[in-house]
């Protein structure tokens, strides 16, 4: 299994690669610099590569960026988790704490792929709440930005605006040196709701012809954090992915 580790990002443009999963921290809880819910959580860690599996999902702390500060991830379940993150305002993405679920089915063999979320996010800093969706070979990356705060932007160039999957998006197409990146930026700001992921994938296949009948791999959800100076809390209050 692989997880996303973007690199060489600026506050205006991101360049992302995928690499094999780094060595993972042991499951023992580490409570350092934690805030609020982490103190009583079922699992917690401050290791940058920490992971924890629950209910068919895997959580990753994923602190990968250059000059990153401390970050503690905590979880009671795959649908109730969060991070306390203290990232300096120096530009470039520092981390992508996320929950990941593997699907492993060609998109034309699927009848639905939907997901629901409810999150609490800071009012300042620089970050976006985002799905990061991959094909099984990590050749195509589809990002769905639900909301964003601060001076951040997607890789690639603006292509079009479309309403699909329950949202109105500005769509960008780019290449990071390793894989195609298709970014959908919500024209509104959402902290709770549901998204029809399969409709987005089929729009990419049938309307734009940017992808074929790819096998859907990991569906990830979390925050790309560029800055959260002084320490900020990000929390998933509920979450699910369903496919069939």
């Amino acid at each position: 299994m692989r997880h996303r580790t973007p690199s060489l990002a600026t506050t205006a443009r991101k360049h992302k690669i995928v690499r094999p999963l780094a060595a993972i921290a042991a499951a023992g809880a580490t409570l350092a610099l934690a805030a609020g819910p982490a103190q009583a959580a079922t699992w917690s860690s401050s290791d940058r590569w920490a992971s924890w599996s629950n209910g068919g999902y895997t959580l990753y702390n994923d602190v990968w960026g250059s000059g990153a500060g401390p970050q503690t991830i905590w979880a009671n379940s795959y649908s109730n988790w969060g991070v306390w993150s203290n990232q300096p305002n120096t530009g470039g993405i520092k981390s992508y704490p996320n929950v990941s679920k593997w699907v492993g089915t060609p998109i034309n063999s699927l009848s639905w792929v939907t997901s629901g979320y409810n999150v609490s996010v800071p009012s300042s800093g620089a970050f976006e709440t985002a799905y990061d969706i991959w094909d099984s070979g990590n050749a195509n990356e589809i990002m769905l930005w639900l909301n964003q705060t601060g001076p951040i932007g997607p890789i690639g160039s603006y292509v079009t605006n479309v309403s699909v999957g329950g949202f109105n998006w500005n769509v960008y197409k780019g290449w990071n040196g390793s894989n195609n990146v298709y970014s959908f930026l919500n024209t509104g700001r959402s902290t709770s709701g549901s998204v029809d992921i399969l409709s987005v994938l089929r729009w990419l296949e049938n309307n734009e012809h940017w992808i074929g009948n790819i096998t859907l791999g990991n569906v990830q959800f979390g925050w790309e954090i560029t800055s959260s100076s002084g320490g900020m809390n990000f929390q998933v209050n509920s979450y699910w992915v369903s496919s069939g």
Side-chain angles (χ1 to χ4, degrees):
M1 175 177 179
R2 305 170 119 191
H3 69 161
R4 65 173 307 286
T5 53
S7 67
L8 303 177
T10 68
T11 55
R13 190 170 296 245
K14 304 194 301 276
H15 304 266
K16 292 173 281 188
I17 64 172
V18 178
R19 70 182 183 191
L21 184 64
I24 297 190
T30 302
L31 297 178
L33 298 171
Q39 300 295 338
T42 300
W43 171 77
S44 178
S45 178
S46 297
D47 188 283
R48 65 186 303 175
W49 304 120
S51 72
W52 184 66
S53 295
N54 174 258
Y57 299 74
T58 303
L59 278 71
Y60 298 101
N61 204 22
D62 203 8
V63 183
W64 61 266
S66 177
Q71 181 171 287
T72 296
I73 188 170
W74 60 269
N76 293 309
S77 70
Y78 69 84
S79 62
N80 176 221
W81 64 277
V83 294
W84 175 89
S85 188
N86 185 3
Q87 304 306 328
N89 186 20
T90 53
I93 301 168
K94 308 303 191 306
S95 65
Y96 181 59
N98 70 88
V99 57
S100 180
K101 185 173 185 180
W102 177 266
V103 177
T105 304
I107 60 175
N108 290 345
S109 298
L110 289 163
S111 297
W112 74 88
V113 182
T114 55
S115 182
Y117 59 89
N118 182 294
V119 300
S120 300
V121 296
S123 59
S124 60
F127 63 90
E128 84 271 358
T129 305
Y131 286 89
D132 206 5
I133 300 161
W134 298 87
D135 69 29
S136 59
N138 296 315
N140 296 283
E141 177 182 11
I142 300 96
M143 295 207 74
L144 309 179
W145 290 24
L146 298 169
N147 61 63
Q148 65 185 76
T149 297
I152 55 177
I155 188 174
S157 301
Y158 173 81
V159 176
T160 190
N161 175 270
V162 65
S163 292
V164 65
F167 294 86
N168 183 262
W169 314 95
N170 289 325
V171 183
Y172 293 75
K173 180 182 182 183
W175 168 258
N176 64 18
S178 296
N179 55 264
N180 298 306
V181 183
Y182 310 118
S183 299
F184 292 71
L185 276 62
N186 182 13
T187 57
R189 180 177 173 84
S190 175
T191 55
S192 65
S194 62
V195 58
D196 182 347
I197 292 173
L198 186 59
S199 290
V200 174
L201 298 176
R202 287 186 171 163
W203 180 84
L204 286 169
E205 179 189 18
N206 299 320
N207 291 73
E208 297 302 309
H209 309 293
W210 292 348
I211 63 173
N213 182 25
I214 61 172
T215 296
L216 180 57
N218 281 308
V219 175
Q220 300 177 303
F221 177 82
W223 299 276
E224 284 191 322
I225 303 173
T226 294
S227 69
S228 52
S229 297
M232 298 181 184
N233 286 297
F234 301 76
Q235 181 166 327
V236 170
N237 303 309
S238 63
Y239 180 72
W240 54 268
V241 175
S242 177
S243 63

